[in-house]
């Protein structure tokens, strides 16, 4: 199969690091999301999800620092990576890419020049609504670029997807359906665009000198902006606090079925928004976990996640 015909992995879930995950759950509930109870990873991180139809938002904290070096692969320790990133600041860390075959997709990414540290297999206890306690079985393939730690990714494969994509968890008052876009900010966009070009485009030379630049994936797209481009894309929405000189994730566009319904939910909860050309953005960037959450209109006929 040629590279042109290999299906591209899509955005599965951005990871939003928060120091108080319960406060984060409460805030995202005010935004109209149904948020799962807090679960635990074996490497010491806590997790809560807004499970959408084709992707998710993951809130992540630390519950036990003594476990952060568990399940190492290729020198990468998931818990330590998250602990160190959160110690620096809240906000978007890695972005998970949807996979049905992490080994095959990892090999494809390596063939495109993307570093991979290896595979992690783990289980965690879950109790979906209406079901007994069970174990989610998950495989990850780490795609960390040490030069771009806040613009790195991993492939995620759910071996028991029915334990995550549960109808009761996927019903959101705001009508959210999927993550439509993740926006990265970079003073020098070239390294970020080179990485995304290798992953999802025609290679490092596939981007033009004009910015912003967008990279379609198997579901959703990545957007790269310079800080000077922010007002054109996000209007008066406050910019998240990022590490000076380091590219990082700044915003997540969440597609909803009806923007009027989403606006009504936000107004009813007393959540202030900033209107942008694409839709309302949440003004309380800190409440969102040092990331901008913006609601945009879902495109009709968009492809689903699949099994």
């Amino acid at each position: 199969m040629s590279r042109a015909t290999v299906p591209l992995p899509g955005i599965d879930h951005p990871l939003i690091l928060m120091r108080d995950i319960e406060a984060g759950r409460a805030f995202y509930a005010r935004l109209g999301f149904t948020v799962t109870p807090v679960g635990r990873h074996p490497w010491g991180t806590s997790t809560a999800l807004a499970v959408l139809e084709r992707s998710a938002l993951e809130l992540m904290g630390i519950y036990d620092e003594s476990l952060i070096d568990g399940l190492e692969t290729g020198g990468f320790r998931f818990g330590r990576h998250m602990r160190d990133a959160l110690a620096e600041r809240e906000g978007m860390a890695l972005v998970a890419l949807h996979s049905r075959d992490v080994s095959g997709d990892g090999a494809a990414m390596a063939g495109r020049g993307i570093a991979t540290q290896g595979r992690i297999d783990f289980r965690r206890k879950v109790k979906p609504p209406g079901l007994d306690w069970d174990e989610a079985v998950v495989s990850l393939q780490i795609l960390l670029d040490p030069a771009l730690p806040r613009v790195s990714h991993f492939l995620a494969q759910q071996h028991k997807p029915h334990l995550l994509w549960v109808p009761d968890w996927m019903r959101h008052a705001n009508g959210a359906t999927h993550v439509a876009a993740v926006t990265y900010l970079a003073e020098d966009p070239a390294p970020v665009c080179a990485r995304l070009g290798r992953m999802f485009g025609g290679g490092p030379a596939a981007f033009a000198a004009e910015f912003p630049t967008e990279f379609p994936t198997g579901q959703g797209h990545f957007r790269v902006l310079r800080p000077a481009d922010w007002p054109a894309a996000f209007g008066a929405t406050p910019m998240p606090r990022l590490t000076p000189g380091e590219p990082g994730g700044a915003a997540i566009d969440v597609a909803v079925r009806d923007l009027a319904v989403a606006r009504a939910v936000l107004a009813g909860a007393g959540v202030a928004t900033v209107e942008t050309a694409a839709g309302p953005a949440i003004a309380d960037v800190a409440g969102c976990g040092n990331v901008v959450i913006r609601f945009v209109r879902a495109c009709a006929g968009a492809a689903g996640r699949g099994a």
Side-chain angles (χ1 to χ4, degrees):
M1 183 179 287
S2 70
R3 174 175 169 175
T5 58
V6 173
L8 291 173
I11 297 171
D12 193 278
H13 58 279
L15 273 61
I16 304 169
L17 292 169
M18 310 184 87
R19 295 191 175 93
D20 187 339
I21 195 169
E22 288 292 357
R25 287 185 71 247
F27 189 83
Y28 274 76
R30 287 182 63 204
L31 303 186
F33 291 105
T34 298
V35 186
T36 67
V38 175
R40 292 182 168 187
H41 294 127
W43 46 71
T45 56
S46 52
T47 174
L49 296 157
V51 182
L52 310 177
E53 291 179 5
R54 305 201 299 280
S55 44
L57 301 174
E58 182 169 15
L59 311 181
M60 185 173 287
I62 305 293
Y63 74 88
D64 189 344
E65 289 203 16
S66 72
L67 302 175
I68 62 172
D69 288 328
L71 300 180
E72 175 270 344
T73 181
F76 178 84
R77 297 169 174 83
F78 205 108
R80 179 169 291 275
H81 183 86
M82 295 298 154
R83 193 281 306 271
D84 291 350
L86 183 56
E88 181 182 82
R89 62 175 174 82
E90 292 185 313
M92 210 184 311
L94 304 174
V95 176
L97 305 175
H98 182 68
S99 177
R100 296 186 225 176
D101 175 12
V102 294
S103 294
D105 287 338
M109 284 293 175
R112 296 169 188 164
I114 300 300
T116 174
Q117 285 71 32
R119 175 170 171 159
I120 298 173
D121 296 290
F122 74 95
R123 297 168 180 258
R124 72 177 183 90
K125 293 182 179 180
V126 294
K127 190 184 185 307
L131 299 177
D132 292 332
W133 280 99
D134 205 331
E135 281 191 322
V137 180
V138 188
S139 296
L140 311 178
Q141 190 82 16
I142 308 302
L143 307 172
L144 178 73
D145 183 344
L148 295 169
R150 292 275 188 169
V151 187
S152 285
H153 310 83
F154 63 93
L155 296 156
Q157 179 180 359
Q158 296 283 344
H159 296 282
K160 294 183 178 180
H162 65 283
L163 297 179
L164 180 61
W165 284 284
V166 179
D168 284 355
W169 281 347
M170 296 165 62
R171 297 187 185 100
H172 304 279
N174 57 29
T177 60
H178 63 283
V179 174
V182 169
T183 297
Y184 293 123
L185 277 179
E187 291 282 357
D188 177 8
V192 180
C193 290
R195 174 178 173 83
L196 295 174
R198 285 192 295 268
M199 294 177 75
F200 301 107
F207 62 91
E210 299 177 359
F211 294 95
T213 301
E214 297 193 356
F215 295 84
T217 76
Q219 55 186 22
H221 62 270
F222 288 103
R223 178 187 300 118
V224 184
L225 300 177
R226 293 188 178 101
D229 300 319
W230 182 266
F234 289 93
T237 308
M239 191 182 298
R241 181 180 61 84
L242 304 185
T243 304
E246 181 184 52
I252 302 168
D253 285 350
V254 178
V256 297
R257 293 185 179 86
D258 189 331
L259 281 175
V261 170
R263 287 190 179 97
V265 168
L266 296 170
V271 176
T273 61
V274 177
E275 282 299 326
T276 74
I282 306 305
D284 188 350
V285 176
C288 292
N290 192 39
V291 65
V292 168
I293 298 295
R294 177 169 66 175
F295 294 107
V296 301
R297 184 174 290 105
C299 297
R305 148 188 308 279

